[in-house]
Amino acid sequence: MKYKQYVLVCSGTACESSKSKDLIDALYHEVLAADLGADIQIVKTGCFGFCEKGPIVKVLPEETFYVQVKPDDAAEIVQEHLVKGRPVTRLLYDPQQSKAHAKLEDIDFYQKQVRIVLRNCGVIDPDSIDEYIARDGYVALEKVLFEMTPEGVIDELRKSGLRGRGGAGFPTWRKWEFTRQVASDEKYVMCNADEGDPGAYMDRSTLEGDPHSILEAMMIAGYTCGSCKGIIYIRAEYPLAIERLNRAISQAKEYGLMGEKILGTDFCFDIEIRLGAGAFVCGEETALIASTEGGRGMPIPRPPFPAVKGLWDKPTVINNVETYASIPVILMKGGDWYAKIGTETSKGTKVFALTGKIKNSGLIEVPMGTTLRDIIFGIGGGIKDGKKFKAVQTGGPSGGLIPEQYLDTPIDYENLGKLGSIVGSGGMIVMDEDDCVVDVTKFYLDFSVDESCGKCAPCRIGGKTLLTLLDRVSKGTGTDADIASMKQLSTAMQRASLCGLGQTTPNPVLSIIRHFEDELNAHIKDRHCPAGKCSALVRYEIDEEACIGCTVCARKCPVNCIAGERKQPHVIDQERCVKCGACLEACKFNAVIKS
Amino acid sequence: MSEVQGQAAGVEEEDVKLTPELIAFIAEWKPQPGNLIMVLHRVQEHFGYIPRPIAFEVAELLEIPVAKVYGVITFYHFFRMTKPGRHTVAVCMGTACYLKGGQELIDELETLLGCSNGSVTDDGEFGIQAVRCIGCCGLAPVLTVDGEVFGNLKTDDLPEILAQFRGK
Ligand SMILES: Cc1cc2nc3c(=O)[nH]c(=O)nc-3n(C[C@H](O)[C@H](O)[C@H](O)COP(=O)(O)O)c2cc1C
Ligand code: FES
């Protein structure tokens, strides 16, 4: 080791927003001031995943793991830990058990995780190709170019059982094989980094934390399928990832790892970046191609599949970021090794963005087959604020809500499908007793309706109608007949929509009809929202006895519908009340009652 | 300072023109297939939005119908044809933020600023925009002002955040 100690600081988007840049500057400053510049290296890394507790700092070789570190803490870390060798206990994850929880592996959050895709995130500086290479980066590419035939690569992927992580779970080796078999003067390798699920950021963190792994895998795909041109389609909303990808591309070119005659062989490959512009449907592969071609991102019917007729009508292999990130490891360690992880039908690991009403929110990677309970109550630490678990949602707007009784289900493509949800790209959102399933489903439907491109009628009209029906339920005017219509409409949309967007839009609706009948019925039969979320069904009233007439609620009310003299009980005008709940929040005497 | 601002505010939409850099950028991309979206990104980066006359100029330079340019601009959420405020408050309405009160942040901002979601205050100082997951779900609910992220918010935090940007 060149340096005696390394200080790793997370600079993913979430931590950077919590001032990790200032923290890095402060650490530099303190290290120089302590004259330790020659012994200590400060490394800015990608996401550690433990975003809830960011910014994260890790000190090597002792592996001390500090959480929620502020720029002002830099002096203490340098003076105490680096100079005197005494860890700063108050910044450890669990200061009470400082010894036991000093290291990353000791924290529950990391115990059940297996990091393959995220192997380098939080470990290397994403802007340094040397650090990627030092962690076996580009070894797989070298092995493929010098020791493997394209058939050999496909065979290894087949053995690994890797399935696409973009949502559909299509075996990757098959897709590569199809593309390889089509004869064409030109072929394309595309990376789908359009990550559209609103509430998920797996691909973003991977790109920000380990951009070279994507480039390496795309080149391997190029060699295997016979293509020399790669395109990464990435959301414009991810500026940091774009910047790091651009830097990685120019570094790889500088090192002769990309461009002409890679590593002295006859293989040539170039990668270009194309920006998305905020349309969810562009994550669908045919729409993604239309958008890359510069037009409106509308899907077209398949077949022909992109493997036959894709970008500019040429054979195109499209994979998701996470799929690519798994490939260099698989080729290095072998398909058989990878296939040992996971379940019968779903191999390897999956990254999830665990968010919502969970204690430890963050980015996690677990073997397929891990149970939902292990993730939510083990890694995630359970529900926030001692509330009761209600549901977990996977697959974003295309997935479904899963209730408590299925928490012991091992996660894989088939199992979640049976429960009416999907593995999806990796959003996992936990809901507690305060969330209403009708309200949340309305949120997803609203999203899908907004994002429908309008090309096919089942999706354009069906989605809108579903939303109208569900809106009735949330207002207390829904009927049993509405539920029947929703089921019928859903089936029609699943069967007749042109692309995956319309086909999966009904999923959240169907999942609540199936798993949350009681809560739905409460809205229909009793005109009652058990969680108190559906505003049309809640009523705010002031308890005359408890109200002391302090006037705070009247002043807070945005529509001035609370009247009353000072020191006299106040009254809410129900006609004008917009049910925002501001009065409830403002009252210090528990005089506002929600019913 | 005020003079510059006055000038900026006085620029009529019809006066906006492509700068030499933008023209060069378009010329560079013109031979490449699928260039339109990349060009529009660059234009929006420069003006903060895509002014009408510029959309016409782009069509002319790329030798494509204006209808195609409009078709693309209106298809994608990211592109806008109205002038943004001097500061853009973007409230995350991704799932995690929605569950943790993103809508309340928007409601409160609308009250505080007196303009609705998707529009700009009369003095052109602030614009409110609902956006989707910005990748900081662990900090939900989240908003950004001119790209700077503020997380774990309560409605009470908003006046102070706005004050940091007002008049800057
Ligand atoms: C509406 C819709 C949105 C999608 N969004 C994404 C996305 O954001 N990222 C992604 O990788 N795949 C997305 N997909 C899946 C892609 O169409 C495609 O299956 C995937 O990119 C293939 O890569 P994989 O085999 O590696 O999963 C989406 C599909 C649909 C129907
Ligand atoms: S949902 Fe708001 S940052 Fe992800």
Side-chain angles (χ1 to χ4, degrees), chain A residues 190-259:
Chain A
M190 296 190 72
C191 173
N192 187 343
D194 194 43
E195 195 158 56
D197 175 357
Y201 56 104
M202 305 72 49
D203 295 348
R204 167 184 211 153
S205 295
T206 310
L207 290 166
E208 285 178 2
D210 196 14
H212 283 285
S213 66
I214 308 299
L215 306 186
E216 181 176 3
M218 288 178 72
M219 287 193 270
I220 294 172
Y223 170 80
T224 309
C225 303
S227 156
C228 57
K229 179 93 195 142
I231 290 164
I232 303 175
Y233 184 92
I234 181 168
R235 301 180 65 188
E237 291 91 336
Y238 286 180
L240 189 61
I242 296 168
E243 182 192 317
R244 290 188 180 160
L245 273 173
N246 271 321
R247 197 166 299 136
I249 291 173
S250 50
Q251 285 174 348
K253 284 189 178 154
E254 219 172 274
Y255 276 55
L257 290 163
M258 195 190 287

Coordinates of all heavy atoms in Angstrom, one line a residue, chain A residues 190-259:
Chain A
M190 N -26.9 -1.4 -27.1 CA -27.4 -0.2 -26.3 C -27.5 -0.5 -24.8 O -27.8 -1.6 -24.4 CB -28.8 0.2 -26.9 CG -28.7 0.7 -28.3 SD -30.3 1.5 -28.8 CE -30.3 3.0 -27.9
C191 N -27.4 0.5 -24.0 CA -27.6 0.4 -22.6 C -28.8 1.3 -22.2 O -28.8 2.5 -22.5 CB -26.3 0.9 -21.9 SG -26.6 0.9 -20.1
N192 N -29.7 0.6 -21.6 CA -30.9 1.3 -21.2 C -30.7 1.9 -19.8 O -30.8 1.2 -18.8 CB -32.1 0.3 -21.1 CG -33.4 1.0 -20.9 OD1 -33.5 2.1 -20.4 ND2 -34.5 0.3 -21.2
A193 N -30.4 3.2 -19.7 CA -30.2 3.9 -18.5 C -31.3 5.0 -18.3 O -31.0 6.1 -17.8 CB -28.8 4.5 -18.4
D194 N -32.5 4.6 -18.7 CA -33.6 5.6 -18.7 C -34.3 5.5 -17.3 O -35.3 6.3 -17.1 CB -34.5 5.4 -19.8 CG -35.5 6.6 -20.0 OD1 -34.9 7.7 -19.9 OD2 -36.7 6.4 -20.3
E195 N -34.0 4.6 -16.5 CA -34.6 4.4 -15.2 C -35.8 5.3 -14.9 O -35.7 6.4 -14.3 CB -33.5 4.7 -14.1 CG -33.9 4.2 -12.8 CD -32.7 4.0 -11.9 OE1 -31.9 4.9 -11.7 OE2 -32.5 2.9 -11.5
G196 N -36.9 4.8 -15.3 CA -38.1 5.7 -15.2 C -39.0 5.5 -14.0 O -39.8 6.3 -13.6
D197 N -38.8 4.4 -13.3 CA -39.7 4.1 -12.1 C -39.5 5.3 -11.1 O -38.4 5.5 -10.6 CB -39.2 2.8 -11.4 CG -39.9 2.5 -10.1 OD1 -40.7 3.3 -9.7 OD2 -39.7 1.4 -9.6
P198 N -40.6 6.0 -10.8 CA -40.4 7.2 -9.9 C -40.2 6.8 -8.4 O -41.2 6.6 -7.8 CB -41.7 7.9 -10.1 CG -42.7 6.8 -10.3 CD -42.0 5.7 -11.0
G199 N -39.0 6.6 -8.0 CA -38.9 6.1 -6.6 C -37.8 5.1 -6.6 O -37.7 4.3 -5.6
A200 N -36.9 5.1 -7.6 CA -35.9 4.1 -7.7 C -34.7 4.7 -8.3 O -34.8 5.5 -9.2 CB -36.4 2.9 -8.5
Y201 N -33.5 4.3 -7.8 CA -32.3 4.9 -8.3 C -31.1 3.9 -8.3 O -30.0 4.3 -8.1 CB -32.0 6.1 -7.5 CG -31.8 5.9 -6.0 CD1 -30.6 5.8 -5.4 CD2 -32.9 5.6 -5.2 CE1 -30.4 5.5 -4.0 CE2 -32.8 5.4 -3.9 CZ -31.6 5.3 -3.3 OH -31.4 5.0 -1.9
M202 N -31.4 2.6 -8.6 CA -30.3 1.6 -8.7 C -29.3 1.9 -9.8 O -28.1 1.9 -9.6 CB -30.9 0.2 -8.9 CG -32.0 -0.3 -8.0 SD -33.6 0.5 -8.2 CE -33.9 0.4 -9.9
D203 N -29.9 2.2 -11.0 CA -29.0 2.3 -12.1 C -28.2 3.6 -12.0 O -27.0 3.7 -12.4 CB -29.9 2.4 -13.4 CG -30.6 1.1 -13.7 OD1 -30.2 0.1 -13.0 OD2 -31.5 1.0 -14.5
R204 N -28.9 4.6 -11.5 CA -28.1 5.9 -11.3 C -26.9 5.7 -10.4 O -25.8 6.1 -10.7 CB -29.1 6.9 -10.6 CG -28.3 8.1 -10.1 CD -29.2 9.0 -9.4 NE -28.7 10.4 -9.6 CZ -29.4 11.5 -9.6 NH1 -30.7 11.4 -9.4 NH2 -28.9 12.6 -9.8
S205 N -27.1 5.0 -9.3 CA -26.0 4.8 -8.3 C -24.9 3.9 -8.9 O -23.7 4.2 -8.7 CB -26.5 4.2 -7.0 OG -27.3 5.1 -6.4
T206 N -25.3 2.9 -9.7 CA -24.3 2.1 -10.3 C -23.5 2.9 -11.3 O -22.2 2.8 -11.4 CB -25.0 0.9 -11.1 OG1 -25.9 0.3 -10.2 CG2 -24.0 -0.1 -11.5
L207 N -24.1 3.7 -12.1 CA -23.4 4.5 -13.1 C -22.5 5.5 -12.4 O -21.4 5.8 -12.9 CB -24.4 5.2 -14.0 CG -25.2 4.3 -15.0 CD1 -26.3 5.1 -15.6 CD2 -24.2 3.8 -16.1
E208 N -23.0 6.1 -11.3 CA -22.2 7.1 -10.6 C -21.1 6.5 -9.9 O -20.0 7.1 -9.7 CB -23.1 7.9 -9.6 CG -24.0 8.9 -10.3 CD -24.9 9.6 -9.3 OE1 -24.8 9.3 -8.1 OE2 -25.8 10.4 -9.7
G209 N -21.3 5.3 -9.4 CA -20.2 4.7 -8.6 C -19.3 3.8 -9.3 O -18.2 3.6 -8.8
D210 N -19.6 3.3 -10.5 CA -18.8 2.4 -11.2 C -19.0 2.4 -12.7 O -19.4 1.4 -13.3 CB -19.1 0.9 -10.6 CG -18.0 -0.1 -11.0 OD1 -16.9 0.4 -11.4 OD2 -18.2 -1.3 -10.9
P211 N -18.8 3.5 -13.3 CA -19.2 3.7 -14.8 C -18.4 2.7 -15.7 O -18.9 2.2 -16.7 CB -18.8 5.1 -15.1 CG -17.9 5.6 -14.0 CD -18.2 4.8 -12.8
H212 N -17.1 2.4 -15.3 CA -16.3 1.5 -16.2 C -16.9 0.1 -16.4 O -16.7 -0.5 -17.4 CB -14.9 1.5 -15.7 CG -14.1 2.7 -16.0 ND1 -13.6 3.0 -17.2 CD2 -13.7 3.7 -15.2 CE1 -13.0 4.1 -17.2 NE2 -13.0 4.6 -16.0
S213 N -17.6 -0.3 -15.3 CA -18.1 -1.7 -15.4 C -19.2 -1.8 -16.6 O -19.3 -2.8 -17.2 CB -18.7 -2.2 -14.1 OG -19.9 -1.4 -13.8
I214 N -19.9 -0.7 -16.8 CA -20.9 -0.7 -17.9 C -20.2 -0.7 -19.2 O -20.5 -1.4 -20.1 CB -21.8 0.5 -17.7 CG1 -22.4 0.6 -16.4 CG2 -22.9 0.5 -18.8 CD1 -23.2 -0.5 -15.9
L215 N -19.2 0.2 -19.3 CA -18.4 0.2 -20.6 C -17.8 -1.1 -20.9 O -17.9 -1.6 -22.0 CB -17.3 1.3 -20.5 CG -17.7 2.7 -20.0 CD1 -16.5 3.7 -20.1 CD2 -18.9 3.2 -20.9
E216 N -17.2 -1.7 -19.9 CA -16.5 -3.0 -20.1 C -17.6 -4.1 -20.7 O -17.3 -4.7 -21.7 CB -15.9 -3.5 -18.8 CG -15.2 -4.8 -19.1 CD -14.4 -5.3 -17.8 OE1 -14.5 -4.7 -16.8 OE2 -13.8 -6.4 -17.9
A217 N -18.7 -4.1 -20.0 CA -19.7 -5.1 -20.4 C -20.3 -4.8 -21.8 O -20.5 -5.7 -22.6 CB -20.8 -5.1 -19.4
M218 N -20.4 -3.5 -22.1 CA -21.0 -3.2 -23.4 C -20.0 -3.6 -24.5 O -20.4 -4.1 -25.6 CB -21.3 -1.7 -23.6 CG -22.5 -1.3 -22.8 SD -22.9 0.4 -22.9 CE -23.4 0.6 -24.5
M219 N -18.7 -3.5 -24.2 CA -17.7 -3.9 -25.2 C -17.7 -5.4 -25.4 O -17.5 -5.9 -26.5 CB -16.3 -3.4 -24.8 CG -16.2 -1.9 -25.0 SD -14.5 -1.3 -24.9 CE -14.5 -0.9 -23.2
I220 N -17.9 -6.1 -24.3 CA -18.0 -7.6 -24.3 C -19.2 -8.0 -25.2 O -19.1 -8.9 -26.0 CB -18.1 -8.2 -22.9 CG1 -16.8 -8.0 -22.2 CG2 -18.4 -9.7 -23.0 CD1 -16.8 -8.3 -20.7
A221 N -20.3 -7.3 -25.0 CA -21.5 -7.5 -25.8 C -21.2 -7.2 -27.3 O -21.6 -8.0 -28.2 CB -22.7 -6.6 -25.4
G222 N -20.4 -6.2 -27.5 CA -20.0 -5.9 -28.9 C -19.2 -7.0 -29.6 O -19.5 -7.4 -30.7
Y223 N -18.2 -7.5 -28.8 CA -17.4 -8.5 -29.3 C -18.2 -9.8 -29.6 O -18.1 -10.4 -30.6 CB -16.3 -8.8 -28.3 CG -15.5 -10.1 -28.6 CD1 -14.5 -10.1 -29.5 CD2 -15.8 -11.3 -27.9 CE1 -13.7 -11.2 -29.8 CE2 -15.0 -12.4 -28.2 CZ -14.0 -12.4 -29.1 OH -13.3 -13.5 -29.4
T224 N -19.2 -10.1 -28.7 CA -19.9 -11.3 -28.8 C -21.0 -11.2 -29.9 O -21.2 -12.2 -30.7 CB -20.7 -11.6 -27.5 OG1 -19.7 -11.5 -26.4 CG2 -21.3 -12.9 -27.4
C225 N -21.6 -10.1 -30.1 CA -22.7 -10.0 -31.0 C -22.2 -9.5 -32.4 O -23.0 -9.5 -33.3 CB -23.8 -9.1 -30.5 SG -24.5 -9.6 -29.0
G226 N -21.0 -9.1 -32.4 CA -20.5 -8.6 -33.7 C -20.8 -7.1 -34.0 O -21.3 -6.8 -35.1
S227 N -20.7 -6.3 -33.0 CA -21.0 -4.9 -33.1 C -19.8 -4.0 -32.7 O -19.0 -4.5 -31.9 CB -22.2 -4.5 -32.3 OG -22.2 -3.2 -32.0
C228 N -19.7 -2.9 -33.3 CA -18.6 -2.0 -32.9 C -19.1 -0.6 -32.5 O -18.3 0.3 -32.4 CB -17.5 -1.9 -34.0 SG -18.2 -1.3 -35.5
K229 N -20.4 -0.6 -32.2 CA -20.9 0.7 -31.8 C -21.9 0.6 -30.6 O -22.8 -0.1 -30.7 CB -21.6 1.3 -33.0 CG -22.3 2.7 -32.8 CD -21.3 3.8 -33.1 CE -21.8 5.1 -32.6 NZ -20.8 6.0 -32.1
G230 N -21.5 1.3 -29.5 CA -22.4 1.2 -28.3 C -23.0 2.6 -28.1 O -22.5 3.6 -28.4
I231 N -24.3 2.6 -27.6 CA -25.0 3.8 -27.2 C -25.6 3.7 -25.9 O -26.3 2.7 -25.6 CB -26.1 4.1 -28.3 CG1 -25.4 4.5 -29.6 CG2 -26.9 5.3 -27.8 CD1 -26.3 4.5 -30.8
I232 N -25.3 4.6 -25.0 CA -25.9 4.6 -23.7 C -27.0 5.7 -23.7 O -26.8 6.8 -24.0 CB -24.9 5.0 -22.6 CG1 -23.8 4.0 -22.6 CG2 -25.6 5.0 -21.2 CD1 -22.7 4.3 -21.6
Y233 N -28.3 5.2 -23.5 CA -29.4 6.2 -23.5 C -29.7 6.5 -22.0 O -30.1 5.6 -21.3 CB -30.6 5.5 -24.1 CG -31.8 6.4 -24.2 CD1 -32.1 7.2 -25.4 CD2 -32.8 6.5 -23.2 CE1 -33.2 8.0 -25.5 CE2 -33.9 7.3 -23.3 CZ -34.1 8.1 -24.4 OH -35.2 8.9 -24.5
I234 N -29.4 7.7 -21.6 CA -29.5 8.0 -20.2 C -30.4 9.2 -19.9 O -30.4 10.1 -20.8 CB -28.1 8.2 -19.6 CG1 -28.2 8.5 -18.1 CG2 -27.3 9.3 -20.3 CD1 -26.8 8.4 -17.4
R235 N -31.1 9.2 -18.8 CA -32.0 10.3 -18.5 C -31.2 11.6 -18.3 O -30.1 11.6 -17.7 CB -32.6 10.1 -17.2 CG -33.5 8.9 -17.1 CD -34.1 8.8 -15.7 NE -35.0 9.9 -15.5 CZ -35.6 10.1 -14.3 NH1 -35.3 9.4 -13.3 NH2 -36.4 11.1 -14.2
A236 N -31.7 12.7 -18.9 CA -31.0 14.0 -18.7 C -31.0 14.5 -17.3 O -30.2 15.3 -16.9 CB -31.7 15.0 -19.6
E237 N -31.9 13.9 -16.5 CA -32.0 14.3 -15.1 C -30.9 13.7 -14.2 O -30.8 14.0 -13.0 CB -33.4 13.7 -14.5 CG -34.6 14.4 -15.0 CD -35.2 13.7 -16.2 OE1 -34.4 13.0 -16.9 OE2 -36.4 13.8 -16.5
Y238 N -30.0 13.0 -14.8 CA -28.9 12.4 -14.1 C -27.5 13.0 -14.5 O -26.6 12.3 -15.0 CB -28.8 10.9 -14.4 CG -29.8 10.0 -13.7 CD1 -29.9 8.6 -13.9 CD2 -30.8 10.6 -12.9 CE1 -30.8 7.8 -13.3 CE2 -31.8 9.8 -12.3 CZ -31.8 8.4 -12.5 OH -32.7 7.6 -11.9
P239 N -27.3 14.3 -14.2 CA -26.1 15.0 -14.7 C -24.8 14.4 -14.2 O -23.8 14.3 -14.9 CB -26.3 16.4 -14.3 CG -27.4 16.4 -13.2 CD -28.2 15.2 -13.5
L240 N -24.8 14.0 -12.9 CA -23.6 13.5 -12.3 C -23.2 12.2 -13.0 O -22.0 11.9 -13.3 CB -23.8 13.3 -10.8 CG -22.6 12.9 -10.0 CD1 -21.5 14.1 -10.1 CD2 -22.9 12.7 -8.5
A241 N -24.2 11.3 -13.3 CA -23.9 10.0 -13.9 C -23.4 10.3 -15.4 O -22.4 9.6 -15.8 CB -25.1 9.2 -14.0
I242 N -24.0 11.3 -16.0 CA -23.5 11.6 -17.4 C -22.1 12.1 -17.4 O -21.3 11.6 -18.2 CB -24.5 12.7 -18.0 CG1 -25.9 12.1 -18.1 CG2 -23.9 13.1 -19.4 CD1 -26.9 13.1 -18.5
E243 N -21.8 13.0 -16.5 CA -20.4 13.5 -16.4 C -19.4 12.4 -16.1 O -18.4 12.3 -16.8 CB -20.4 14.5 -15.2 CG -19.1 15.2 -14.9 CD -19.2 15.9 -13.6 OE1 -20.3 16.6 -13.3 OE2 -18.2 15.9 -12.8
R244 N -19.8 11.5 -15.2 CA -18.8 10.4 -14.9 C -18.7 9.4 -16.0 O -17.6 8.9 -16.3 CB -19.2 9.7 -13.6 CG -19.0 10.6 -12.4 CD -19.2 10.0 -11.1 NE -19.0 10.9 -10.0 CZ -19.4 10.8 -8.8 NH1 -20.1 9.8 -8.4 NH2 -19.2 11.8 -7.9
L245 N -19.8 9.2 -16.8 CA -19.7 8.3 -17.9 C -18.8 8.9 -19.0 O -17.9 8.2 -19.6 CB -21.1 8.0 -18.5 CG -21.9 6.9 -17.9 CD1 -23.3 6.9 -18.5 CD2 -21.2 5.6 -18.2
N246 N -19.0 10.2 -19.2 CA -18.1 10.9 -20.2 C -16.7 10.8 -19.9 O -15.8 10.5 -20.7 CB -18.6 12.3 -20.4 CG -19.7 12.5 -21.4 OD1 -19.7 11.8 -22.4 ND2 -20.6 13.4 -21.1
R247 N -16.4 11.0 -18.6 CA -15.0 10.9 -18.2 C -14.5 9.5 -18.4 O -13.3 9.3 -18.8 CB -14.9 11.4 -16.7 CG -13.5 11.7 -16.3 CD -13.4 12.5 -15.0 NE -14.1 13.8 -15.1 CZ -15.0 14.2 -14.2 NH1 -15.2 13.5 -13.1 NH2 -15.6 15.4 -14.3
A248 N -15.3 8.5 -18.0 CA -14.8 7.1 -18.1 C -14.5 6.8 -19.5 O -13.6 6.1 -19.8 CB -15.9 6.2 -17.5
I249 N -15.4 7.3 -20.4 CA -15.2 6.9 -21.9 C -13.9 7.5 -22.3 O -13.1 6.8 -23.0 CB -16.4 7.5 -22.7 CG1 -17.6 6.7 -22.4 CG2 -16.1 7.4 -24.2 CD1 -18.9 7.2 -23.1
S250 N -13.6 8.8 -22.0 CA -12.3 9.3 -22.5 C -11.1 8.7 -21.8 O -10.1 8.5 -22.5 CB -12.3 10.9 -22.4 OG -12.6 11.3 -21.1
Q251 N -11.3 8.3 -20.6 CA -10.1 7.5 -19.9 C -9.9 6.2 -20.6 O -8.7 5.8 -20.9 CB -10.4 7.3 -18.5 CG -10.3 8.5 -17.6 CD -10.7 8.2 -16.2 OE1 -11.3 7.2 -15.9 NE2 -10.4 9.1 -15.3
A252 N -11.0 5.5 -20.9 CA -10.8 4.2 -21.5 C -10.2 4.3 -22.9 O -9.3 3.5 -23.3 CB -12.2 3.5 -21.7
K253 N -10.5 5.4 -23.6 CA -9.9 5.6 -24.9 C -8.4 5.9 -24.8 O -7.6 5.3 -25.6 CB -10.6 6.7 -25.7 CG -12.0 6.4 -26.2 CD -12.5 7.4 -27.1 CE -13.9 7.0 -27.7 NZ -14.8 8.1 -28.0
E254 N -8.1 6.7 -23.8 CA -6.7 7.0 -23.6 C -5.9 5.8 -23.3 O -4.7 5.7 -23.7 CB -6.7 7.9 -22.3 CG -5.7 9.1 -22.3 CD -6.0 9.9 -21.1 OE1 -6.9 10.8 -21.2 OE2 -5.4 9.7 -20.1
Y255 N -6.5 4.8 -22.6 CA -5.8 3.6 -22.2 C -5.8 2.5 -23.3 O -5.3 1.4 -23.0 CB -6.4 3.0 -20.9 CG -5.8 3.7 -19.6 CD1 -5.9 5.1 -19.4 CD2 -5.3 2.9 -18.6 CE1 -5.4 5.6 -18.3 CE2 -4.8 3.5 -17.5 CZ -4.9 4.8 -17.3 OH -4.4 5.4 -16.2
G256 N -6.4 2.9 -24.4 CA -6.4 1.9 -25.5 C -7.4 0.8 -25.2 O -7.4 -0.3 -25.8
L257 N -8.3 1.0 -24.3 CA -9.3 0.0 -23.9 C -10.6 0.2 -24.7 O -11.6 -0.5 -24.5 CB -9.6 0.0 -22.4 CG -8.4 -0.5 -21.6 CD1 -8.6 0.0 -20.1 CD2 -8.3 -2.0 -21.7
M258 N -10.7 1.3 -25.5 CA -11.8 1.6 -26.3 C -11.3 2.3 -27.5 O -10.3 2.9 -27.5 CB -12.8 2.5 -25.5 CG -14.2 2.5 -26.1 SD -15.2 3.8 -25.4 CE -15.6 3.1 -23.8
G259 N -12.1 2.1 -28.6 CA -11.7 2.8 -29.9 C -11.2 1.8 -30.9 O -11.8 0.7 -31.0

